[in-house]
């Protein structure tokens, strides 16, 4: 019995597919060997066939191609402006911030406040997450 490799990188699995395809192993057999070593959730038989087809068509790169993503509205300048508004009034709400920045959705504003600036709500006041329990009880 072989040792199972848990959570392999996608490019590692594709490299194995490319190698076995170069040795002219059939896609069904490649899939069987992948499942034997990497486990049941490694890759479907159809995806193995797709990669074999791509390698046969001349593809040599095993890494994902770059994708065009939707540009983010969140940038350093916007985060700084939101931080300045928070410092003016700690008892703000996301709705109040939305009134100040109507071009940005409430969801994005909440993401800026909680994830970028690391604030969370405590007794109707937004405070940095770095406070200890002792600070919070005062």
């Amino acid at each position: 019995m072989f040792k199972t490799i848990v959570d392999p990188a996608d490019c590692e699995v594709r490299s194995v597919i490319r190698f076995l395809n170069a040795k002219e192993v059939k896609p069904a057999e490649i899939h069987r060997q992948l499942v034997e070593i990497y486990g049941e959730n490694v890759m479907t038989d159809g995806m193995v066939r797709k990669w074999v087809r791509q390698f046969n068509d001349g593809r040599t790169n095993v890494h994902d191609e770059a994708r065009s993503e939707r540009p983010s509205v969140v940038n350093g300048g916007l985060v700084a402006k939101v931080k300045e508004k928070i410092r003016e009034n700690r008892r703000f709400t996301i709705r109040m911030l939305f009134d100040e920045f109507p071009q940005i959705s409430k969801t994005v504003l909440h993401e800026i406040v909680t994830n970028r600036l690391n604030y969370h709500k405590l007794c109707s006041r937004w405070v940095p997450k770095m406070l200890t329990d002792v600070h919070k009880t005062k």
Side-chain angles (χ1 to χ4, degrees):
M1 194 72 191
F2 298 107
K3 180 180 165 188
T4 302
I5 299 173
V6 181
D7 199 26
D10 291 339
C11 60
E12 176 184 352
V13 176
R14 293 175 196 149
S15 297
V16 172
I17 293 171
R18 184 175 177 214
F19 173 76
L20 291 174
N21 184 51
K23 290 182 76 173
E24 297 183 359
V25 177
K26 297 195 181 304
E29 177 62 20
I30 293 173
H31 181 258
R32 189 193 65 70
Q33 290 183 26
L34 288 174
V35 169
E36 186 177 351
I37 297 298
Y38 294 111
E40 289 293 325
N41 297 326
V42 64
M43 188 181 281
T44 64
D45 186 46
M47 286 302 291
V48 171
R49 291 178 191 281
K50 174 187 165 195
W51 279 101
V52 166
R53 207 174 316 114
Q54 288 183 11
F55 290 134
N56 287 339
D57 290 342
R59 181 176 178 148
T60 58
N61 189 0
V62 294
H63 298 285
D64 288 328
E65 294 174 354
R67 299 179 188 178
S68 61
E69 296 179 3
R70 189 175 186 179
S72 177
V73 216
V74 182
N75 58 31
L78 179 62
V79 173
K81 289 178 185 175
V82 171
K83 187 174 186 175
E84 184 180 316
K85 285 293 178 188
I86 292 172
R87 299 249 172 164
E88 289 176 12
N89 179 14
R90 280 285 175 90
R91 291 183 181 269
F92 72 93
T93 62
I94 298 297
R95 178 76 174 152
M96 290 167 62
L97 279 178
F98 180 68
D99 292 340
E100 294 290 328
F101 303 99
Q103 71 277 13
I104 300 162
S105 71
K106 291 180 207 159
T107 307
V108 171
L109 285 170
H110 189 269
E111 186 262 328
I112 291 171
V113 170
T114 56
N115 295 344
R116 295 286 183 99
L117 297 175
N118 290 325
Y119 281 93
H120 72 283
K121 201 74 157 173
L122 177 68
C123 299
S124 75
R125 180 179 286 178
W126 288 87
V127 294
K129 286 185 181 178
M130 61 189 151
L131 292 178
T132 64
D133 290 331
V134 175
H135 289 116
K136 292 176 186 176
T137 56
K138 289 182 180 179

